[in-house]
Amino acid sequence: MMKRKEYIWAYLFVAAPILGFMLFALIPLSYSVYVSFTDYSGYTAPVFNGGDNYVKLVKDELFWKTLLNTVIFLFAKVLR
């Protein structure tokens, strides 16, 4: 049976990678999702605009060309 002190050390060793994941991956990802639903220039406060950014993205011809190029490049490199 493990002693209480050993449990504390075990939790501390597990907490370090979880904290690192939250600090360097989860928080920036969450902020990016939040900003994607706003009208944000970097100089002013973000203003919520719903899904307008995604509607503009779907209607943009350059986005579809870029996505197609990315998929072609992906398959060309993976299947090579």
Side-chain angles (χ1 to χ4, degrees):
M1 192 109 178
M2 290 178 63
K3 296 179 184 176
R4 185 174 196 162
K5 192 174 187 180
E6 292 174 354
Y7 277 120
I8 291 173
W9 278 107
Y11 284 127
L12 285 175
F13 279 117
V14 171
I18 291 174
L19 183 64
F21 173 73
M22 288 178 59
L23 186 64
F24 295 109
L26 198 59
I27 293 173
L29 178 66
S30 301
Y31 185 70
S32 296
V33 170
Y34 164 71
V35 169
S36 74
F37 286 101
T38 63
D39 185 21
Y40 183 58
S41 66
Y43 296 109
T44 60
V47 177
F48 182 75
N49 67 356
D52 289 343
N53 293 338
Y54 291 103
V55 171
K56 289 178 191 175
L57 183 70
V58 170
K59 290 181 180 179
D60 189 12
E61 186 178 321
L62 183 61
F63 167 73
W64 293 109
K65 286 181 182 180
T66 306
L67 183 64
L68 179 63
N69 288 340
T70 301
V71 170
I72 290 170
F73 182 75
L74 172 79
F75 282 113
K77 286 298 182 180
V78 169
L79 297 177
R80 184 173 175 208

